[in-house]
């Protein structure tokens, strides 16, 4: 029985080649597109799935009169031990902290090998066990128990030690102004998978920090706190006890701020939710975005629905040609169940062929797409791909096959033999509704494509308030001694003699980086009201090099001691302190609050706001101070060079040669500032490419369906076309006759799609602090494009049908 059904289906596909081609091509394109999108979505949702679901991260949230005023992924070092000691449901708690709060990117040295390392963390002894590190050498439970011990990743061990055992070997840890330290390798772990919200190359024992009373420090807010709770415990059981814990350890402080309307909370975040749902200050790495993932799922669903609707429309339209076959089978005793079985088999065969073709296409296109649209390297057609394909196959077979099967099998055989249903089939309301849905989805995708493209272009071309072009950045030396300042002065002098180097500056942070150094500042006349500001230490050449302009006041004239207590603020900081006119704050004394002490600083200038970070983030209050007179080894150090001329490579070589001469112990680690800044948009660019490419495919599939349906509908009206031509109808009139109904449906779809497109894209745009606004031209362009696509699709076949010889048309039965 099954063999017979399959044989009939394959024979039918062979005899109806145009239907077969259109159906299989549309379904194959849809399956390939949807599967690749869903593989990427699945990858984004898989972050930290290999870790226990009982692990949570604590995040800080500050409130003023119940309005959130600040939030951070970082907390204080005293929180973790307090949670473990005071809340029985917490089975383990660990702290993780990057080297950033202590030093700039340091250098590790082993024999003659020196590398600058950026993924170095300090962690409590239980950290490796909590996060289930796979140890190749050493023990996860004891590797971090001793001071100055560290574990390293497999790739780092290979880089420093080759194929030799790493355990027991000693590295020199160069920490900039903090001097050097000898660390002993106590273990090697497998590299962290890409789908983790943080990645470590070095993990040093927490005691190696060397800070006093750190377990009772409730003020130093640069630490990440993770806890593991009892298996199956609801997080609310721990969350509800944290306010009591804070009052126990910070009773007076908590009472004082609560009396003023302030509130502090530490909230639990499931570790698996961090990558897509956490957008806090101080994230360990750049996270993904849940809204983006949801939008891609919508695109995948639209693509599949459009392809399945094509199949439904084709099946119903084709049934008019097969009406005699269906009626004869019913008259000869075929039951409705048998007809449904045959029609479902047809759908199963078509979908199966599409799946087979899709698997081959996915294997071919995935490596290409990883390059063209920057898909993650770990996205592959594994077991998850198999689940996706099986699900699509079953849904396509049943979803796209059931309705045509029930509809066609219910037709009256007598009516079929008399061909009384042909015209009605061409104009049933379901067909119209499905076409409207297809083009509603298509117009929404066109609106989305235009919006995404415009937003990404807006972010790329927005005036940032500074010039990033042809700016070379070199990470400052980490191997330093007592002669460093003198050497740095010599380096600055020598750079002026290098051809192509226009200017040179030093800063603790550069545009494109989140600034982790901050303090509160207050007006001298109201010291109790403070404003948190990010701090960047610079020299007098920094603003001229970047082309930043002043709203009021002036830049540092030089780096002499006259200006050691002078600061520069951005416009946002001045406004936050109550000076709406930037000129009013110039020459005013502002208090720099540091460890319960206040240091008076004179404001000499207000720099115009510039975007330190991407346009996803609002401009924050910034304070700039002379680096020469600040001891802040945690702040970072970058050398900036403005290069002029076309021979950039030669200029870079000259700088590298000077670097090797004056800083022979330090690796030359450089990049260009514009590329570094634009790297913030990597995830957005990837989303834009995926969205635009696959939206285009969805629109093409919809057009393919409309073309096929037009072809079948014109066949039904062949005799009518011949009669009209004999009676004098022009080709244009016939094309209009055949096209008008479809174009009306496209117009209805456009009206429905516009508000839906606004709703969806507003949700996506909401994640950007600076974004485009919807203009009428976006909808006009979307309407013109959708109407043009529909016109061309319908007109091609209609024009061909309208030009059929009327003698041939009148012979049509």
């Amino acid at each position: 029985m099954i063999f017979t059904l399959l044989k009939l289906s394959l024979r039918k596909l062979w005899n109806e080649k145009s239907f077969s081609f259109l159906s299989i091509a549309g379904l194959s394109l849809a399956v390939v597109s949807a599967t690749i999108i869903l593989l990427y979505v699945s990858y984004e949702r898989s972050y930290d799935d290999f870790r226990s679901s009982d692990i949570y991260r604590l995040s800080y949230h500050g409130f003023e009169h119940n309005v959130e005023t600040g939030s951070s992924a970082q907390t204080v070092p005293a929180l973790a031990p307090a949670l473990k000691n005071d809340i029985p449901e917490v089975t383990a708690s660990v702290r993780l902290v990057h080297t950033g709060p202590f030093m700039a990117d340091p250098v590790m040295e082993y024999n003659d090998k020196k590398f600058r390392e950026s993924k170095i963390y300090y962690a409590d002894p239980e950290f490796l066990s909590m996060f289930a590190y796979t140890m190749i050498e050493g023990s996860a439970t004891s590797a971090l128990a001793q001071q100055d011990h560290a574990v390293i990743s497999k790739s780092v061990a290979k880089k420093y030690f080759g194929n030799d055992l790493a355990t027991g070997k000693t590295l020199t840890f160069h920490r900039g102004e903090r001097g050097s330290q000898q660390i002993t390798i106590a273990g090697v772990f497998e590299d962290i998978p890409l789908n983790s919200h943080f990645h470590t190359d070095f993990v040093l024992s927490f005691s190696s920090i060397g800070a006093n009373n750190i377990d009772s420090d409730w003020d130093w807010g640069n630490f990440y706190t993770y806890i593991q709770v009892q298996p199956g415990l609801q997080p609310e059981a721990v969350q509800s006890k944290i306010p009591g814990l804070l009052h126990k350890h910070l009773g007076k402080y908590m009472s004082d701020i609560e009396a003023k309307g302030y509130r502090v909370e530490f909230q639990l975040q499931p570790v698996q939710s961090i990558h897509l749902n956490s957008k806090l200050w101080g994230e360990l790495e750049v996270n993904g975005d849940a809204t983006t993932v949801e939008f891609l799922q919508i695109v995948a669903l639209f693509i599949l629905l459009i392809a399945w609707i094509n199949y439904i429309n084709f099946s119903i339209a084709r049934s008019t040609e097969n009406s005699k076959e269906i009626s004869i089978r019913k008259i000869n005793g075929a039951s409705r169940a048998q007809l449904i079985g045959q029609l479902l088999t047809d759908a199963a065969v078509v979908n199966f062929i599409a799946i087979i073709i899709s698997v081959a296409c996915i294997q071919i296109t995935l490596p290409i797409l990883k390059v063209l649209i920057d898909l993650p390297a770990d996205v592959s057609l594994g077991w998850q791909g198999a689940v996706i394909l099986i699900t699509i196959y079953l849904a396509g077979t049943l979803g796209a096959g059931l309705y045509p099967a029930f509809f066609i099998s219910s037709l009256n055989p007598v009516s079929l033999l008399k061909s009384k249903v042909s015209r009605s089939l061409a104009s049933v309301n379901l067909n119209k509704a499905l076409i409207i849905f297809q083009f509603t989805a298509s117009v929404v995708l066109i609106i989305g494509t235009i919006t995404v493209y415009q937003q990404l272009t807006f972010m790329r071309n927005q005036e940032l308030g500074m010039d990033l072009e042809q700016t070379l950045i070199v990470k400052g030396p980490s191997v330093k001694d007592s002669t460093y300042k003198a050497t740095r002065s010599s380096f600055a002098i020598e750079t002026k003699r290098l051809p192509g180097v226009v200017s040179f500056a030093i800063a603790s942070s550069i545009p494109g980086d989140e600034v982790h150094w901050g303090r509160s500042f207050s007006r001298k006349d109201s010291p109790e009201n403070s404003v948190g500001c990010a701090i960047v230490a610079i020299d007098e050449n920094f603003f001229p090099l970047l082309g930043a302009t002043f709203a009021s006041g002036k830049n540092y004239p030089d780096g002499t001691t006259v200006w050691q207590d002078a600061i520069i603020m951005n416009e946002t900081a001045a406004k936050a302190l109550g000076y709406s006119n930037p000129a009013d704050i110039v020459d005013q004394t502002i208090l720099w609050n540091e460890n319960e002490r206040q240091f008076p600083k004179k404001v000499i200038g207000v720099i115009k706001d510039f975007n330190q970070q991407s346009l996803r983030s609002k401009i924050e209050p910034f304070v700039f101070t002379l680096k020469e007179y600040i001891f802040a080894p945690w702040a970072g150090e970058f050398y900036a060079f403005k290069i002029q001329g076309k021979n950039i490579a030669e200029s870079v070589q000259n700088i590298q040669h000077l670097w090797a001469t004056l800083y022979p112990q330090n690796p030359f680690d450089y990049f260009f500032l514009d590329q570094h800044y634009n790297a913030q948009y990597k995830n957005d660019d990837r989303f834009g490419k995926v969205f635009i490419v696959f939206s285009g495919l969805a629109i093409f599939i919809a057009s393919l369906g409309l073309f096929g349906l037009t072809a079948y509908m014109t066949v039904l009206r062949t005799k009518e076309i011949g009669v009209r031509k004999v009676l004098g109808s022009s080709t244009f009139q016939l094309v209009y006759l055949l096209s008008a109904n479809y174009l009306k449906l496209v117009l209805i779809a456009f009206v429905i799609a516009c508000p839906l497109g606004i709703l969806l894209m507003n949700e996506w745009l909401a994640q950007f602090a600076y974004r485009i606004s919807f203009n009428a031209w976006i909808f006009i362009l979307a309407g013109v494009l959708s109407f043009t696509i529909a016109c061309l699709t319908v007109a091609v076949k209609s024009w061909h049908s309208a030009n059929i010889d009327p003698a041939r048309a009148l012979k049509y039965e």
Side-chain angles (χ1 to χ4, degrees), residues 476-491:
S478 283
V479 183
K480 298 179 179 179
D481 56 24
S482 58
T483 66
Y484 171 64
K485 284 194 174 182
T487 306
R488 186 177 64 188
S489 297
S490 298
F491 186 91

Side-chain angles (χ1 to χ4, degrees), residues 35-96:
T35 302
I36 291 174
I37 292 173
L38 293 174
L39 283 173
Y40 173 61
V41 167
S42 178
Y43 172 78
E44 286 290 296
R45 292 189 181 281
S46 71
Y47 269 68
D48 296 294
D49 277 353
F50 53 91
R51 296 189 165 120
S52 170
S53 59
D54 299 321
I55 299 175
Y56 296 84
R57 186 178 72 179
L58 276 294
S59 59
Y60 163 84
H61 299 265
F63 298 86
E64 181 178 358
H65 302 298
N66 294 321
V67 176
E68 188 169 82
T69 55
S71 58
S72 173
Q74 298 179 349
T75 59
V76 294
L79 181 61
L83 288 165
K84 179 66 168 61
N85 294 330
D86 296 355
I87 301 180
E89 291 84 357
V90 175
T91 58
S93 63
V94 298
R95 292 161 293 190
L96 182 71

Side-chain angles (χ1 to χ4, degrees), residues 126-145:
E126 290 181 286
F127 172 77
L128 300 176
S129 299
M130 178 186 288
F131 284 93
Y133 273 60
T134 303
M135 303 301 295
I136 301 171
E137 299 178 34
S139 167
T141 57
S142 60
L144 299 179

Side-chain angles (χ1 to χ4, degrees), residues 550-555 582-583 586 603-606:
F550 279 80
S552 187
K554 62 183 179 182
N555 185 28
V586 176
V603 179
I604 63 169
V606 177

Side-chain angles (χ1 to χ4, degrees), residues 349-371:
V349 169
V350 170
N351 278 275
F352 182 76
I353 294 172
I355 292 289
I356 296 300
I357 295 172
S358 300
V359 170
C361 291
I362 291 169
Q363 296 286 19
I364 295 169
T365 56
L366 258 182
I368 299 171
L369 291 174
K370 287 177 182 179
V371 176

Side-chain angles (χ1 to χ4, degrees), residues 284-395:
L284 279 160
E285 295 181 12
V286 177
N287 285 334
D289 180 70
T291 302
T292 297
V293 168
E294 289 167 3
F295 268 83
L296 290 177
Q297 285 181 302
I298 291 172
V299 173
L301 181 61
F302 276 179
I303 289 172
L304 289 172
L305 288 175
I306 287 170
W308 292 337
I309 287 170
N310 283 349
Y311 182 83
I312 292 171
N313 281 334
F314 288 167
S315 297
I316 294 176
R318 187 170 56 99
S319 69
T320 61
E321 297 182 14
N322 299 328
S323 58
K324 288 185 179 179
E325 176 198 342
I326 296 168
S327 61
I328 290 171
R329 291 184 64 187
K330 293 191 78 171
I331 290 170
N332 286 333
S335 68
R336 188 178 183 188
Q338 288 174 319
L339 288 174
I340 291 173
Q342 179 63 62
L343 293 166
L344 280 177
T345 303
D346 294 347
V349 169
V350 170
N351 278 275
F352 182 76
I353 294 172
I355 292 289
I356 296 300
I357 295 172
S358 300
V359 170
C361 291
I362 291 169
Q363 296 286 19
I364 295 169
T365 56
L366 258 182
I368 299 171
L369 291 174
K370 287 177 182 179
V371 176
L372 293 180
I373 61 177
D374 195 31
L375 284 178
D378 279 4
V379 174
S380 61
L381 193 63
W383 67 268
Q384 289 179 320
V387 171
I388 291 170
L389 287 169
I390 291 170
T391 303
I392 290 175
Y393 173 71
L394 294 175

